[in-house]
Amino acid sequence: MRVVLVGPPGAGKGTQAQFIASHLAIPKVSTGDIFRYNVSAGTELGQQAKAFMDRGDLVPDEVTVAMVKSRLAEDDAQSGFLLDGFPRNVPQAETLKKILADWGLKLELVLELVVDHDEVIRRLSGRRTCRKCGRNWHIAFDPPSVADKCDECGGELFQRDDDREETIRHRLEVYQEQTQPLISYYAGEGILLGIDATGPVDDVTERALLALRRFVR
Ligand code: ADP
Ligand code: AMP
């Protein structure tokens, strides 16, 4: 199963991706997670990406696409994958289509997580991320049992630099300008399905899995 999750920053893509991917036994491929890992490990890729991420801008397409292509070529992605945070603009979507076509494959579904602007701001401003395993928490909506400590792995929780107010505003503009056009692009391809991503996390997961079962054969 080859699926893309799309939606504004804070829509819950990462949160849902971990549950959906484990339910379907396919890898979750999150470009944001891969970039953050590389930034903290100080790799060349991390150095190329850092300034763009800090500003809330997109990392250049050639860097991002090369990284995704090599990730999707790995063994565990051969039976499918769930992309979270990629593609982020129409040129990336076109390139992904070409890469998959060269491998005799295509995307089966693009699942749009639909949440309004105010909810996205509430979610992003309270997000805390585990330094060790990358799991996202929320200070009000999904708090860990001990403040600033990840329940899953005991890692330290921190607020992402790009989750500060100024950068949040810019990332939402970038979403509107560059990523939102993907919605009509994939609608035109006949593979877009939007689901209501408000309400409890489990309810959203249930809606997502239902949609996947209905639309992906
Ligand atoms: P994205 O990957 O789309 O940027 P995340 O999955 O990181 O978004 O979610 C953003 C924040 O919102 C996180 O702090 C997460 O805990 C919280 N969150 C995710 N889903 C829900 C939900 N259904 N209700 C309330 N908060 C949520
Ligand atoms: P995310 O974790 O998805 O919110 O992504 C965090 C940051 O990583 C973004 O603000 C971008 O700077 C960068 N990034 C993630 N995915 C992409 C992508 N597909 N294209 C370009 N930049 C990306």
Side-chain angles (χ1 to χ4, degrees), residues 2 35 54 61 103 132 151 159 180 191 200 202 206:
R2 283 168 293 276
F35 280 135
D54 286 347
D61 288 352
W103 294 342
K132 207 161 142 198
D151 281 0
Q159 183 173 35
Q180 179 82 29
I191 54 171
D202 289 352
E206 209 169 293

Side-chain angles (χ1 to χ4, degrees), residues 31-32 36 53 57-59 64 85-86 88 92 160 171:
T31 43
R36 275 185 293 281
M53 296 176 76
D57 284 327
L58 296 186
V59 177
T64 307
F86 182 92
R88 250 345 200 260
Q92 289 183 5
R160 282 169 44 176
R171 286 164 65 212

Side-chain angles (χ1 to χ4, degrees), residues 7-16 84 119 123-124 126-128 136-138 141-142 160 171 197-201 204:
K13 298 182 299 298
T15 302
Q16 293 304 324
D84 155 22
E119 178 65 8
R123 289 185 183 182
L124 287 177
R127 174 160 66 185
R128 296 292 181 272
N136 288 310
W137 299 87
H138 191 284
F141 305 144
D142 187 17
R160 282 169 44 176
R171 286 164 65 212
T198 57
V201 169
V204 181

